Amino acid sequence: MKAATNLQDLPTKKSSSGRAWKTLKNQKYLWMMSIPFVIWVFVFSYLPLWGWTMAFQKYKPAKGFFEQDWVGFDHFKTLFADETFFLALRNTLVMSGMGLVAGFIFPITFAILLNEVRLGFFKRFAQTISYLPHFVSWVVAAGIVTKMLSGDNGLINDMLLGLGFIETPIQFMAQGHLFWGIVTLSDVWKETGWNAIIYLAAIAGIGPELYEAARVDGASRLRQVWHITLPGIRPTIIVLLIMSIGNLLNIGFEKQFLLGNNLVTDYSQVLDLYSLKYGLGMGRYSFGTAINIFNSVISVILLFTINGIFKRTTKESLL
Amino acid sequence: MMSSKRSSKTKASAWLLVSTLMLSMLAGCGGNNAANTGNTTDTNTNTANSGTNTEKEDLTPVTFSFFSADPSPNWTGMQDETGKVITEKTGVTLDAEFAVGDPAQKVALIASSGEYPDLISAKADISKMVDAGAMVDLTELIDKYAPNIKKVLGEDNLKRARYSNEDKAIYAIPTYSAVDQQYFNAGGGFELQHRAVKEAGYPPIKTVKDYENVIKSYLDKHPTDENGNKNIGLTLNADDWMMYITVTNPAFTTTGSPDDGEYAIDVDTQEVTYHFRRPEEKEYFRWLNHMNDIGLLDPESFVQKTDQYKSKIATGRVIGLIDQDWSYGDGEKALKTAGKFDQGYGHYPVTLSEEYKETSFWPTGFMAGNGVGISTDCEDPIRAIKFLDYLASDEGQVLLNWGIEGKQYNVENGKRVIPEDVNNRIVNDATNFAKETGIGLYNLLSVHYGDGVKDSTDNYYTTKFPEQISSQFNAVEKETLAAYKVDTWRGLFPKEDEFKVKPWGAAWNIPVPGESEIVVLDNKLKDITWKRIPEAILSKPAEFDKIWDAYMADLEKADVEKAEDLREELVKERVKLWTE
């Protein structure tokens, strides 16, 4: 990411057009190699934006573009008048937020701990085991989670019963207020190992001479982590953080769809599920598009805000 | 590096790299195009052929794409025995796609994509396709090219297949309902394990109290199974739409109202009520609440997924169910395979109290509506309708139901008979049997006669007739049936002529125009109901009334009355369309 921006910065900085032309010529292979990807991004990310016009029409599949009825902001009005929408928005934000916090604390801690392990074999073993669940699809993972938490011979309940903490099995999946926690924890279980990989790579990039110097100065291992490892991976953390905040509303719906049930809908309904059920599922193409526009606009605002904040405070930024 | 050192070698390799990238991109797009053109030319030649070849039946191989809103897990792409015969007789191969998950979303996608399969069976979502102008009016095609379809349906039923009062076209031939169907067996009602009723001494099981007593007395004596796992009194399956089947529909079948989806409709005045607003149903749910209170209801009822539900049944620990045999059948099959026949289930017509009649068999008349239609993208609608017509012919119907003579059935003294070994496979190895023979896979493709109708050779069209059904019961089932002095479970249920035929068929079968407000209203009401009903059932009995009142208030806030009025209009339209 960094390298690419630098290359493109070069010609503009020198401002003389002849010079820019020369650089362009020098880098012609790089340019040519990037063309397919530019086209790819254009075709798959920008062309579909044309479909946004649907949100302002009473879209019917059979009609051509010019035959559609234009209704202005009607669909947005319906959207903002719907209580379910705000419920879905709240659930999305809360689960996203919880996922975001857990999704940073756990992998970073795990990566640091793993890095401190001296035993090479154990380190590799632990790493492999921890990222295996990432490759299990949510359908299977949700099955495992519900089975574990089941009141009918579920592992967790059997354990609690055996230890005498409870007398009757707890119906974990039936309680709305536990749902957010269950989703977040299953996400932690599934993704911690995988997400730790990038931090491990970043840690590996820190020069060993820093640690040696610190040891000479008498720093303990905790001190080394605090003063060298963490600052060393700060740019990585910030870039990843900014990107995840841009995706705050796009948390998908697999987890909520697969783990949820009718007893917990007040906590499990998320925006993507809402747009699927109340948009496409009912043939309300325009309404569904309106929800997605709302999603995208909020995401862009979030992305720029957080990027701006980081730019000011830490001088690290994406854009 | 590249710019500083320009040896011809690096240059060449760079060009190579760039051109491969470009090529691979082009190939990505091109692959699709090639496939598309391949398709069109294929169908084009076929149209040309059928044009020149009108005299004799055109059997040049043709492939029709087909979409069905119902899953068909045993589909083998017509490579089964029946499928091969169909292809041989008609030249048609189906390239079929079956909906997975919610068909409404898939149909919406098909409608908006503008690329329609040749044949479409979209059930009630057909309105989305019609709104998109994607369906061909079949009236003329049927008249000209489909003598068998016309014969099977007859004038009256064909009239019922028309879309609406405003648009009297036929967009789908009604393939889901069987003509003149008689029900010889029952698969619904309330279910109890044979061992439980046996131990109770085969008492009459008419009301929810009778049902409860059987479960209770059995559980009192046998709280756990032989491995020490708890036996379960009654379990429900509330996973997605199964909620209707095991939780909410029984509320009206037990209280004397027929199945009209989420609405109760007065058979004389056609007045529509959202069925949960009937006071009787509140009492039904109060009974479920009571079942939960005394520990007979599985606490996981509203949490478990369908696969967990089925595997629970397969353990044999569940004494009672409120379900349909096609839904819990997989679980019961496992029990039968393991030889635990006494843990299988019988069907009982349970009602809330003696004054009600169980309404599972309330007659609807011939229910046109759901079925197969031809899309505007179909290159050769005549071949397509002829294909469907073949399936509706006597030859076709016997093939789809019975299979191939000499293989799946024999003719002895003019009677079609299923040999013992084949019958065994039908009962005990149903999945593989269906995959190999294809029997049962094609029935929903065209119009057909129902159980109990005989053809010109005095044989039944279908394989479901009293003698055949009896021969498929196992010893324990026969024992239970004998104890209740009936031949099949159907014998326990009220007769069809005890009810007045509903002139609108069934409300769930009336297509809703895509723009109607009902769609959104219904979904809102459903969300409220699916949340509130489990809450009410699982609450403390003292709080039940409070939650129920809150539920009723929620419904009113969500404009339930408007939904009822709109639905009433639709029902009245339907009656007008069908009786004029």
Side-chain angles (χ1 to χ4, degrees):
Chain A
M1 177 78 43
K2 223 48 233 207
T5 26
N6 282 344
L7 275 176
Q8 280 164 13
D9 282 350
L10 271 176
T12 42
K13 269 182 191 162
K14 297 280 171 181
S15 81
S16 123
S17 69
R19 175 94 181 140
W21 184 244
K22 209 173 167 201
T23 330
L24 196 69
K25 215 173 149 194
N26 283 343
Q27 298 173 346
K28 64 172 177 280
Y29 300 116
L30 286 176
W31 282 99
M32 270 189 259
M33 278 192 275
S34 63
I35 281 174
F37 300 102
V38 172
I39 295 175
W40 186 81
V41 168
F42 182 75
V43 168
F44 289 100
S45 297
Y46 286 90
L47 278 188
L49 285 184
W50 175 248
W52 275 18
T53 51
M54 267 161 76
F56 306 98
Q57 303 167 337
K58 199 171 173 187
Y59 177 78
K60 289 188 85 179
K63 291 186 185 168
F65 179 74
F66 294 103
E67 296 157 20
Q68 304 283 359
D69 291 335
W70 292 85
V71 294
F73 284 91
D74 270 12
H75 296 295
F76 291 93
K77 281 181 201 149
T78 328
L79 182 64
F80 295 134
D82 188 357
E83 281 173 29
T84 329
F85 166 69
F86 289 103
L87 196 68
L89 185 62
R90 177 199 73 172
N91 293 339
T92 311
L93 286 175
V94 171
M95 274 187 266
S96 249
M98 287 171 76
L100 194 71
V101 173
F104 274 87
I105 294 177
F106 284 93
I108 293 172
T109 319
F110 183 65
I112 290 171
L113 290 177
L114 215 51
N115 189 55
E116 296 297 318
V117 171
R118 294 279 177 261
L119 207 61
F121 165 76
F122 177 75
K123 189 174 166 180
R124 280 194 300 276
F125 180 72
Q127 207 189 339
T128 313
I129 293 289
S130 68
Y131 73 60
L132 270 185
H134 170 79
F135 298 101
V136 177
S137 87
W138 265 113
V139 180
V140 179
I144 296 174
V145 171
T146 28
K147 189 68 209 156
M148 296 274 272
L149 295 177
S150 162
D152 183 55
N153 298 334
L155 189 71
I156 307 280
N157 267 313
D158 281 359
M159 236 160 66
L160 291 176
L161 281 171
L163 293 172
F165 286 130
I166 49 172
E167 307 216 321
T168 46
I170 302 173
Q171 294 295 333
F172 290 103
M173 304 304 290
Q175 312 203 5
H177 59 273
L178 293 181
F179 186 77
W180 292 341
I182 291 172
V183 167
T184 311
L185 284 180
S186 0
D187 214 16
V188 165
W189 165 71
K190 201 165 169 306
E191 302 298 342
T192 295
W194 180 258
N195 291 340
I197 292 177
I198 195 161
Y199 298 112
L200 275 174
I203 291 172
I206 302 171
E209 66 275 8
L210 290 173
Y211 291 103
E212 281 156 17
R215 267 200 295 276
V216 171
D217 288 349
S220 68
R221 276 172 89 173
L222 269 180
R223 283 272 152 212
Q224 291 176 29
V225 167
W226 186 251
H227 289 294
I228 300 168
T229 316
L230 276 177
I233 59 174
R234 196 177 70 173
T236 319
I237 296 178
I238 288 173
V239 166
L240 286 178
L241 190 63
I242 294 173
M243 293 211 298
S244 353
I245 285 176
N247 280 325
L248 208 54
L249 290 183
N250 306 323
I251 56 171
F253 61 87
E254 297 103 317
K255 290 170 266 188
Q256 289 77 12
F257 181 73
L258 292 162
L259 288 170
N261 58 59
N262 290 325
L263 289 169
V264 298
T265 41
D266 278 357
Y267 299 87
S268 67
Q269 178 93 282
V270 286
L271 275 182
D272 283 348
L273 210 52
Y274 174 79
S275 77
L276 185 69
K277 269 165 77 179
Y278 281 83
L280 189 61
M282 298 161 124
R284 294 158 88 202
Y285 306 95
S286 301
F287 188 66
T289 315
I291 301 172
N292 275 1
I293 292 182
F294 172 80
N295 249 355
S296 303
V297 169
I298 296 291
S299 295
V300 168
I301 293 174
L302 278 175
L303 185 68
F304 278 97
T305 321
I306 207 75
N307 193 56
I309 292 173
F310 276 116
K311 213 173 197 168
R312 290 248 175 85
T313 54
T314 66
K315 307 275 182 289
E316 313 267 1
S317 77
L318 259 187
L319 305 163
Chain B
M1 183 189 81
M2 250 183 274
S3 48
S4 59
K5 193 181 171 192
R6 292 193 184 182
S7 78
S8 61
K9 208 176 165 190
T10 19
K11 204 171 179 182
S13 58
W15 273 114
L16 194 71
L17 188 59
V18 170
S19 49
T20 349
L21 270 171
M22 291 293 232
L23 261 179
S24 61
M25 253 196 76
L26 286 176
C29 305
N32 256 334
N33 274 338
N36 281 340
T37 36
N39 247 334
T40 23
T41 43
D42 192 31
T43 30
N44 273 340
T45 44
N46 281 321
T47 3
N49 278 340
S50 61
T52 53
N53 216 359
T54 39
E55 297 267 273
K56 272 198 85 186
E57 277 307 320
D58 177 16
L59 297 182
T60 39
V62 56
T63 302
F64 288 125
S65 49
F66 169 61
F67 170 78
S68 162
D70 270 332
S72 179
N74 296 332
W75 184 261
T76 57
M78 295 189 77
Q79 288 312 299
D80 44 72
E81 294 180 54
T82 312
K84 282 178 185 162
V85 176
I86 295 173
T87 306
E88 184 189 309
K89 299 274 182 186
T90 61
V92 173
T93 314
L94 289 180
D95 175 13
E97 189 190 352
F98 299 93
V100 180
D102 185 0
Q105 289 154 12
K106 180 73 190 173
V107 176
L109 274 182
I110 293 177
S112 60
S113 74
E115 281 169 30
Y116 318 123
D118 299 326
L119 297 171
I120 298 167
S121 173
K123 302 221 276 187
D125 293 313
I126 186 108
S127 54
K128 292 188 181 119
M129 302 297 296
V130 173
D131 288 347
M135 304 304 290
V136 171
D137 179 7
L138 304 175
T139 319
E140 230 184 84
L141 286 170
I142 293 176
D143 199 46
K144 277 194 189 147
Y145 303 102
N148 291 309
I149 293 178
K150 250 167 61 181
K151 190 190 118 207
V152 175
L153 286 180
E155 277 293 305
D156 277 353
N157 292 341
L158 203 56
K159 232 163 81 180
R160 292 189 164 201
R162 292 173 308 169
Y163 188 64
S164 69
N165 284 315
E166 287 76 46
D167 182 359
K168 292 189 173 163
I170 298 174
Y171 291 118
I173 54 168
T175 60
Y176 270 76
S177 317
V179 177
D180 298 330
Q181 165 89 12
Q182 294 176 44
Y183 295 96
F184 294 114
N185 199 5
F190 283 40
E191 289 79 21
L192 281 169
Q193 284 189 332
H194 301 306
R195 56 175 183 176
V197 281
K198 186 176 183 180
E199 202 163 295
Y202 301 112
I205 297 162
K206 293 230 154 57
T207 66
V208 290
K209 275 284 161 228
D210 302 336
Y211 177 79
E212 177 187 329
N213 289 338
V214 173
I215 297 178
K216 193 166 187 315
S217 60
Y218 190 85
L219 276 190
D220 283 347
K221 268 186 234 165
H222 311 273
T224 60
D225 70 355
E226 64 277 11
N227 300 324
N229 290 316
K230 265 191 183 158
N231 277 333
I232 297 161
L234 162 68
T235 191
L236 304 172
N237 179 8
D239 189 5
D240 205 18
W241 62 274
M242 287 305 301
M243 180 87 179
Y244 295 123
I245 310 297
T246 83
V247 185
T248 63
N249 286 2
F252 54 71
T253 53
T254 54
T255 54
S257 180
D259 185 358
D260 274 303
E262 294 301 88
Y263 295 89
I265 302 170
D266 188 288
V267 74
D268 298 310
T269 62
Q270 281 138 39
E271 196 190 318
V272 173
T273 326
Y274 191 63
H275 77 74
F276 300 93
R277 307 218 298 159
R278 298 167 66 233
E280 303 91 311
E281 297 199 8
K282 181 179 173 187
E283 297 313 308
Y284 175 77
F285 290 111
R286 193 195 295 282
W287 171 72
L288 278 179
N289 173 276
H290 158 75
M291 290 291 277
N292 179 57
D293 186 46
I294 58 174
L296 292 190
L297 181 71
D298 180 8
E300 291 209 308
S301 287
F302 296 101
V303 178
Q304 62 194 346
K305 304 285 171 186
T306 300
D307 51 336
Q308 289 171 307
Y309 170 77
K310 284 182 183 168
S311 61
K312 205 178 265 177
I313 290 168
T315 63
R317 292 188 289 136
V318 183
I319 311 303
L321 300 172
I322 305 176
D323 202 354
Q324 303 283 330
D325 52 3
W326 47 260
S327 151
Y328 68 83
D330 291 341
E332 194 185 17
K333 243 175 240 163
L335 287 170
K336 286 182 176 170
T337 316
K340 298 175 180 168
F341 295 112
D342 63 337
Q343 291 170 31
Y345 297 91
H347 301 271
Y348 303 91
V350 170
T351 56
L352 187 63
S353 62
E354 297 270 4
E355 64 190 286
Y356 300 108
K357 276 184 193 164
E358 215 277 352
T359 59
S360 292
F361 291 97
W362 194 306
T364 56
F366 180 75
M367 264 211 300
N370 295 351
V372 176
I374 299 176
S375 80
T376 46
D377 276 7
C378 182
E379 302 263 343
D380 191 353
I382 296 174
R383 270 301 284 284
I385 198 83
K386 281 186 171 169
F387 162 69
L388 297 174
D389 191 58
Y390 169 77
L391 298 181
S393 68
D394 276 13
E395 182 189 330
Q397 289 195 53
V398 171
L399 173 69
L400 303 193
N401 284 312
W402 290 83
I404 298 155
E405 186 177 346
K407 279 187 179 165
Q408 283 88 39
Y409 73 94
N410 297 316
V411 178
E412 291 166 13
N413 305 326
K415 283 267 161 210
R416 280 196 284 272
V417 187
I418 298 178
E420 189 63 42
D421 57 325
V422 176
N423 205 9
N424 256 334
R425 290 202 63 198
I426 296 175
V427 179
N428 300 320
D429 189 19
T431 312
N432 287 328
F433 182 77
K435 276 186 182 160
E436 276 168 38
T437 62
I439 291 176
L441 298 187
Y442 304 94
N443 296 52
L444 293 183
L445 270 170
S446 195
V447 295
H448 50 274
Y449 287 114
D451 303 336
V453 182
K454 288 181 175 179
D455 67 2
S456 54
T457 63
D458 200 35
N459 280 299
Y460 291 106
Y461 277 105
T462 72
T463 52
K464 274 192 188 152
F465 49 89
E467 300 87 353
Q468 181 63 22
I469 288 171
S470 300
S471 74
Q472 288 177 357
F473 285 128
N474 61 49
V476 180
E477 280 166 332
K478 279 181 184 157
E479 187 189 345
T480 315
L481 285 166
Y484 284 102
K485 300 189 182 62
V486 287
D487 299 325
T488 70
W489 303 112
R490 177 75 182 88
L492 294 169
F493 287 75
K495 304 269 170 301
E496 278 171 48
D497 53 22
E498 293 175 39
F499 303 100
K500 188 175 169 187
V501 178
K502 295 190 289 173
W504 62 87
W508 49 262
N509 168 274
I510 302 175
V512 178
E515 290 186 356
S516 171
E517 265 183 272
I518 296 185
V519 188
V520 180
L521 283 173
D522 268 0
N523 215 35
K524 288 255 142 111
L525 294 174
K526 188 192 84 180
D527 280 353
I528 294 170
T529 299
W530 284 14
K531 193 177 88 190
R532 286 296 191 176
I533 292 285
E535 193 186 338
I537 293 173
L538 297 182
S539 68
K540 302 227 162 53
E543 284 164 20
F544 180 83
D545 280 305
K546 208 177 84 201
I547 292 175
W548 195 265
D549 290 344
Y551 168 40
M552 289 298 128
D554 279 357
L555 289 180
E556 264 158 52
K557 217 175 119 203
D559 255 345
V560 67
E561 271 146 27
K562 190 173 182 187
E564 289 170 347
D565 292 344
L566 288 170
R567 183 65 61 166
E568 196 165 318
E569 267 171 46
L570 283 180
V571 172
K572 289 188 163 150
E573 289 267 304
R574 164 62 78 84
V575 174
K576 192 177 153 219
L577 181 71
W578 279 15
T579 48
E580 68 177 1

